[in-house]
Amino acid sequence: MVEQRTVGRPVNVRGTPPEESETRRSVQQQDEAGPRRGKGVLVILAVVIVVLVGAAAFYLRPWESEAAAAPAEVELGVVVAVEPISVNLADGRYLRLGFSMQLTKEATAEIPVARAMDLAIGVFSGRDIAEVNDAARREELKNELARQLSETFEGEVVDVYLTDYVTQ
């Protein structure tokens, strides 16, 4: 026995096509049911987002980080000059580098200059000449040297001043 079915047209239990009003009613019922579920999901999603933002704000506490980030004023002391040295750059080029270290008032002027020179060589050597000549990158390298000197000499070095800076 071969059964024939029509695909694409709704059929009621009696096997006859449904009336047009029945089809419209079922489509309207489906449309009304969909947004109700979607609204509930949106409300739950909004509550979860609000809770996550509140937890992140509490955990990160941006209002406290601004107060902690402001460095305390340091009383400046003597400036120790370091004799210029030649540093090897990439491609056989050289950098003649001279700098001075700004110390805190509590620091002694007996900073081991050889250690400071070694740190400077480590920061500047092997760089490309274009990198060393770029003003923004030069400032970054100077700040990196100041940071390393401050860590090495336990906060006695406050800043670094470049006094001789010639590339060849």
Side-chain angles (χ1 to χ4, degrees), residues 7-29:
V7 178
R9 288 182 31 203
V11 180
N12 60 16
V13 179
R14 291 172 273 167
T16 60
E19 295 178 15
E20 192 174 321
S21 63
E22 288 178 9
T23 306
R24 284 188 189 152
R25 220 176 317 143
S26 65
V27 170
Q28 288 174 353
Q29 289 170 351

Side-chain angles (χ1 to χ4, degrees), residues 50-121:
V50 168
V51 168
L52 288 175
V53 168
F58 178 76
Y59 179 72
L60 296 176
R61 297 180 186 157
W63 55 90
E64 290 180 4
S65 65
E66 291 172 5
E73 288 296 320
V74 177
E75 291 188 45
L76 300 178
V78 297
V79 176
V80 176
V82 177
E83 289 295 318
I85 56 173
S86 293
V87 178
N88 292 329
L89 298 176
D91 299 328
R93 302 290 188 121
Y94 295 97
L95 167 67
R96 182 164 173 85
L97 175 68
F99 62 97
S100 295
M101 299 179 290
Q102 176 70 60
L103 304 179
T104 62
K105 190 171 187 172
E106 295 82 28
T108 62
E110 297 174 9
I111 295 283
V113 177
R115 179 71 179 133
M117 290 172 66
D118 183 52
L119 289 172
I121 290 169

